[in-house]
Amino acid sequence: MIVVLGLLAAVFYGVGDFVGGFASRLHSAITVLLHSYPVGALLMLALLPAFPGHLDARVLLFGVAGGLAGLIGVTIMYSLMVIAPHSPRCLLPGYTGPSCAASCRDA
């Protein structure tokens, strides 16, 4: 089950990165992110009750820090996708490597 969820996450990340890269060719990276990040935040809030755990200041701090780091990374990536050619096969090494490693570990 873990491998299947990992592969699904890799597919969704890959599709999101690829679509975001194309969208950033039409609009600035900031504009793309201003439209896509709130959608992701709403989806995460909607799924929050499905996961157990407690919320305290430390968890909130790490979540906000991780979100900001991800925002900076995706902004840089989309900005670079505007100037560099890319195709779907460019995303494969970044996603198949960790998935293969995870499946070997669980075997």
Side-chain angles (χ1 to χ4, degrees), residues 6-44:
L7 288 173
L8 281 173
V11 167
F12 284 123
Y13 271 109
V15 169
D17 289 347
F18 193 73
V19 171
F22 274 123
S24 65
R25 287 180 181 238
L26 301 174
H27 306 286
S28 72
I30 299 297
T31 303
V32 172
L33 292 172
L34 285 175
H35 286 90
S36 63
Y37 255 60
V39 173
L42 289 175
L43 287 172
M44 284 190 286

Side-chain angles (χ1 to χ4, degrees), residues 21-101:
F22 274 123
S24 65
R25 287 180 181 238
L26 301 174
H27 306 286
S28 72
I30 299 297
T31 303
V32 172
L33 292 172
L34 285 175
H35 286 90
S36 63
Y37 255 60
V39 173
L42 289 175
L43 287 172
M44 284 190 286
L45 283 174
L47 292 172
L48 194 60
F51 297 96
H54 62 283
L55 182 65
D56 59 7
R58 182 173 179 256
V59 171
L60 190 60
L61 177 68
F62 276 104
V64 170
L68 290 175
L71 179 63
I72 292 168
V74 171
T75 302
I76 293 169
M77 181 185 69
Y78 286 171
S79 298
L80 292 175
M81 284 181 157
V82 170
I83 59 174
H86 63 284
S87 69
R89 68 178 175 262
C90 295
L91 299 172
L92 287 177
Y95 294 111
T96 55
S99 300
C100 290

